[in-house]
Amino acid sequence: MNSSSPKTGNSCNCTQQNVADALADRDERLKARIAQHPCYSEDAHHHYARMHVAVAPACNIQCNYCNRKYDCANESRPGVVSETLTPAEAAHKVLVIAGKIPQMTVVGIAGPGDPLANPKQTFETFARIAEKAPDIKLCLSTNGLNLPDYVDKIKELNIDHVTITINTIDPDIGARIYPWIRWQKKRIKGKEGVKILLERQQESLQALQEADILCKVNSVMIPGINDQYLVEVNQLIREKGAFLHNIMPLISAPEHGTYFGLNGQRGPTPKELKALQDQCAGNMKMMRHCRQCRADAVGLLGEDRSQEFTKQKFMQMPVAYDLEQRQLVHTRIELRRQELAEQKHGVASPSARPTPKILLAVASKGGGLVNQHFGHAKEFMIYEVDAQTVRFVGHRKVAHYCQGGYGEAATMDHILEAIGDCQGVLCSKIGSCPQEKLRQKGIEPFEDYDVIETVARKFYTQFMQTRLEVDYAVQKHR
Ligand code: CLF
Ligand code: SF4
């Protein structure tokens, strides 16, 4: 058959075009749904903030990495406690902060226990927020045990982002993570309880997919227990339509009083975590910018402004929600993002030849820029760079170096340990003393104030040039 027959050709092209249009439309709609969500979009997290309201004190399961004195460790780091709020207090807090931090676009309920073990408080809070602040996205994070019962309610309230923590799909492994669950008013111990939890989690995935609610899965990486099996979890959740996988490190210390902490269970090293995330990355979108924030977190993901808004403080503050002002701020952010995207596009190199990869530690206050003094950084964003790409791969928390002269030596040792696998540090300024210490460890400091990708590309070019010159000199003297 003549494949160029006008009739066949046209109808075929037309069908292909329709499919392509439909896919593009779907992608555009998907992009719009996550564009201002700092957890679902890595790019958005440079510009938009989230806040949590701690309205859910009870939990219906026990995880061995959790101590009930603290917030839900599925979506938080152990060792921090939030003040529990009533739905009315929580809604007031949101309306105050929506005015003070207009780039705050998402309100999440993530504890201190499980939101769906406290459905009344959780849904009343969301309903109050939706009524007064319709532009704010609603988000919740759960262990999944009660989720299948509430998918209709979640849909009805337009809660478009739901996280389920799934640490395993194998009841034997699960029995080493969860000692018991509370189900139909009874405590069910061991594997019997775990089986119910795992089944309900899978049911939840299915129900969210059918309801077209964006689902993120969190998994806590526990070396020696589930680390070898998270690839299976990754495959399964992908098949069940999860949008994003967030593999988080177990944070475990005896002072947290958790079963794992008291029994010496360690968390993964940054290298182990990255290796597992890389292994899963071929399968689906991986979240690497999670900060394991607390159940009353406020601000950009890398910052913690919760202490500015304690109950005592925010209850004295007037509501300042102003939709028009918020939209204006968001429009400005979007224009800035467009500019940045164009600059980043210009930074990409067309070469397809494999080139050496290096890791860079970046000090940033947000906005997608290298814009922070080395001494003020409380964390470094880690980028993997080669001649073609500049890719965000994680972050490392550190105590900040500038302590007014006290404790700087110990802090510097901790920083060197945290970023010891990086070849360079990009920051807006750095003193001569830390510069020297970095160089002694083979880490090159680099001062600049610009888009992260632009500075990383500049560093890479200079770094490779120097490396070539050194190699050449060595060869010459042989
Ligand atoms: Fe909160 Fe979670 Fe929603 Fe984000 S956090 S409920 S999805 S708005 Fe984000 Fe915080 Fe990580 Fe959670 S950085 S712990 S992934
Ligand atoms: Fe703790 Fe959260 Fe696990 Fe409940 S689900 S036991 S609050 S970590």
Side-chain angles (χ1 to χ4, degrees), residues 37 39 52 75 106 139 216 246 287 290-293 301:
H37 196 307
C39 303
H52 288 165
E75 193 80 345
V106 178
C139 191
K216 169 164 78 64
N246 175 21
M287 177 178 188
C290 172
R291 303 304 203 273
Q292 289 168 282
C293 39
L301 294 196

Side-chain angles (χ1 to χ4, degrees), residues 212-262:
D212 190 27
I213 295 164
L214 283 180
C215 173
K216 169 164 78 64
V217 170
N218 283 358
S219 302
V220 182
M221 179 181 178
I222 312 164
I225 294 189
N226 70 347
D227 53 338
Q228 302 296 316
Y229 306 95
L230 284 174
V231 176
E232 287 171 14
V233 173
N234 179 269
Q235 267 158 8
L236 179 111
I237 64 167
R238 185 190 183 214
E239 283 158 24
K240 299 243 178 192
F243 174 73
L244 192 62
H245 195 187
N246 175 21
I247 300 181
M248 332 152 80
L250 170 76
I251 302 176
S252 175
E255 60 270 27
H256 299 149
T258 61
Y259 175 85
F260 282 154
L262 294 171

Side-chain angles (χ1 to χ4, degrees), residues 56-68 70-76 110-115 117 141-144 165 167 177-180 197 220:
C59 191
N60 48 4
I61 67 170
Q62 178 63 56
C63 306
N64 278 336
Y65 46 73
C66 176
N67 174 349
R68 293 299 176 76
Y70 303 127
D71 290 354
C72 174
N74 284 336
E75 193 80 345
S76 172
D114 187 84
S141 176
T142 171
N143 59 43
T165 298
N167 295 320
I177 302 172
Y178 309 105
W180 55 261
L197 175 66
V220 182

